Amino acid sequence: MKNIGLILLILSIILFASFHLFSFNNKSIITQQQCISKSDDLNETRRRNYDSSSLKPIIFIGGMPRSGTTLMRAILDSHPSVRCGEETRVIPRMLSMRAAWKKSTIEWNRLLSGGMTESILDSAVRAFVYEILIHHSQSADILCDKDPFVIKYSSYVSSLFPNSKFLLLIRDGRAVIHSVMTRKVTITGFSLTDYRQNLKIWNKGMETMYEECEQIGPDRCQMVYYEQLVLQPKKTIGNILKFLNISWVDSVLHHEEFIGKKISLSKTEHSTDQVIKPINLEALTKWFSHIPAHVKRDVDSLAPMLKRLGYDTISDAPTYGTADPFVLENMNRLKNNADFWKNQTKMYARQIPTRVN
């Protein structure tokens, strides 16, 4: 009887242990399945987010530096449905890196042989650009990026974001060069003393951007002349909003009222102290009488894009058009409140960052 009792006790212990072991294994399997399911759901969510990002309406503002890109983005930033923000500076570098990979046959083949297909790279670039834009500033219905040199990659970016649109800012190259040199804007390739070299660099960059814009077509890329933007802002901005399928609001004519509120400006950008003012004509003709005689003589060979874009290269003081009453009133405001705007300019004067906060 003692042996039978011991055997029954041992059997009971074995059965009890087996039951709990079976129950634990089942729970473990269920937990693993739940984890796998959650992981799959997360991956699917991420995939949908990345895929949907390509369908988001995004505006890309570009052009040669000193061509009015900051003013253009400030105008759009004053619209309640749009958010551009300051230059990201990283997006054009990422696009440049991807272009360099594709341009180098050896490097591109290395990537492909390592399993990095073009589709994977494009998906990664799309996710990178979208992630930067979505977290760059305040949320809005329409995202916008103002990185001047992004326009050099318009055809590629347009393939990543099929619902994106591009604004190419165009300005008289002589005015651009004068602004670069007098405001001491450091741009790779440009000189602070050599007009001839600068016109060649401007011409090369402008030609690339112009042809990229033409390649994706007028339905995706609109060329905006700086001169018309400041001379006839109501008409020009109206055409831009129509192109972007954005409703008109009067706030787009008064971007200066939103500086420091909806519109943030970086003091490291050269245009900040100019954009704080209402749309005006102050910078339109500053370059007149400052181009050296030997440069004027050879301007058509140094920068043939000037004629191609429709600029008068013969006159020393070309006429860009007539200013509308709204701009003339802004000029009076600036004149009658000169001290106020002078202080504002000092407040937003460019600062070179010396440390990282």
Side-chain angles (χ1 to χ4, degrees):
M1 291 299 292
K2 288 183 179 179
N3 289 339
I4 291 174
L6 182 60
I7 291 170
L8 290 174
L9 177 63
I10 293 172
L11 287 173
S12 298
I13 293 172
I14 292 173
L15 288 172
F16 180 80
S18 298
F19 172 77
H20 281 278
L21 181 61
F22 176 77
S23 177
F24 174 79
N25 285 337
N26 275 348
K27 288 181 180 179
S28 178
I29 291 171
I30 291 171
T31 302
Q32 289 176 2
Q33 289 175 341
Q34 289 176 339
C35 289
I36 292 171
S37 178
K38 288 180 180 179
S39 177
D40 289 342
D41 289 343
L42 181 59
N43 288 334
E44 178 62 20
T45 300
R46 287 174 175 170
R47 186 191 65 77
R48 284 199 302 269
N49 287 341
Y50 289 155
D51 288 345
S52 64
S53 71
S54 67
L55 302 177
K56 297 285 186 180
I58 301 177
I59 303 167
F60 291 95
I61 301 172
M64 292 301 290
R66 312 304 303 160
S67 293
T69 56
T70 304
L71 174 61
M72 185 72 258
R73 82 89 169 169
I75 290 171
L76 290 181
D77 263 340
S78 65
H79 195 289
S81 299
V82 183
R83 186 256 297 152
C84 299
E86 305 92 331
E87 294 179 17
T88 70
R89 303 186 66 84
V90 296
I91 291 178
R93 296 196 180 198
M94 166 58 74
L95 296 173
S96 175
M97 188 183 301
R98 192 270 181 191
W101 289 335
K102 191 67 183 285
K103 190 175 181 180
S104 171
T105 304
I106 295 176
E107 185 64 25
W108 191 250
N109 287 335
R110 282 176 177 171
L111 289 171
L112 295 179
S113 64
M116 293 300 295
T117 66
E118 187 167 6
S119 176
I120 292 174
L121 289 172
D122 290 348
S123 179
V125 173
R126 180 190 302 113
F128 177 88
V129 172
Y130 184 71
E131 193 76 5
I132 292 294
L133 293 181
I134 198 69
H135 294 294
H136 181 220
S137 187
Q138 299 172 358
S139 62
D141 295 334
I142 301 173
L143 298 177
C144 168
D145 173 50
K146 195 281 282 192
D147 279 305
F149 289 118
V150 166
I151 210 79
K152 291 172 63 178
Y153 311 99
S154 299
S155 55
Y156 173 63
V157 175
S158 67
S159 70
L160 296 181
F161 300 97
N163 289 333
S164 61
K165 292 200 173 183
F166 300 78
L167 296 176
L168 170 57
L169 271 291
I170 297 173
R171 187 183 182 188
D172 191 322
R174 294 162 293 186
V176 170
I177 301 309
H178 177 73
S179 180
V180 167
M181 296 174 69
T182 56
R183 292 178 69 86
K184 301 186 185 304
V185 183
T186 53
I187 307 169
T188 302
F190 282 84
S191 166
L192 296 182
T193 57
D194 192 336
Y195 270 94
R196 300 179 74 89
Q197 175 184 328
N198 289 344
L199 278 172
K200 290 178 181 178
I201 295 294
W202 172 86
N203 189 81
K204 183 178 179 181
M206 193 69 251
E207 184 176 28
T208 299
M209 295 180 184
Y210 182 86
E211 291 178 352
E212 282 283 307
C213 188
E214 280 203 320
Q215 184 175 334
I216 62 176
D219 292 336
R220 300 287 303 280
C221 184
Q222 184 174 93
M223 300 182 190
V224 180
Y225 282 75
Y226 168 80
E227 293 82 9
Q228 301 312 309
L229 180 61
V230 298
L231 283 167
Q232 298 285 331
K234 287 185 178 180
K235 179 181 178 181
T236 306
I237 297 171
N239 290 335
I240 291 169
L241 294 183
K242 185 177 180 180
F243 164 73
L244 298 173
N245 296 318
I246 299 174
S247 61
W248 172 271
V249 290
D250 290 338
S251 61
V252 295
L253 292 174
H254 306 283
H255 72 274
E256 72 281 0
E257 297 177 4
F258 299 89
I259 302 296
K261 300 171 186 175
K262 183 179 186 293
I263 301 175
S264 59
L265 295 173
S266 169
K267 289 189 177 182
T268 64
E269 292 185 28
H270 287 272
S271 300
T272 294
D273 60 345
Q274 294 173 304
V275 175
I276 59 170
K277 300 177 181 179
I279 299 172
N280 64 80
L281 309 175
E282 288 181 345
L284 191 63
T285 59
K286 280 187 175 181
W287 68 271
F288 287 5
S289 75
H290 287 283
I291 307 298
H294 66 93
V295 176
K296 287 192 292 184
R297 184 184 64 244
D298 300 332
V299 70
D300 286 338
S301 59
L302 292 170
M305 282 300 295
L306 284 171
K307 269 193 172 182
R308 188 176 177 184
L309 294 171
Y311 288 105
D312 174 8
T313 59
I314 299 176
S315 174
D316 291 335
T319 301
Y320 297 121
T322 305
D324 69 19
F326 170 77
V327 178
L328 296 178
E329 178 59 30
N330 282 350
M331 295 299 292
N332 287 331
R333 287 173 56 199
L334 292 175
K335 182 179 179 181
N336 295 334
N337 299 279
D339 290 340
F340 170 79
W341 291 110
K342 185 177 180 180
N343 290 331
Q344 287 292 99
T345 301
K346 288 181 180 179
M347 187 183 303
Y348 283 91
R350 180 173 182 264
Q351 298 176 5
I352 300 175
T354 55
R355 66 188 177 89
V356 178
N357 294 325

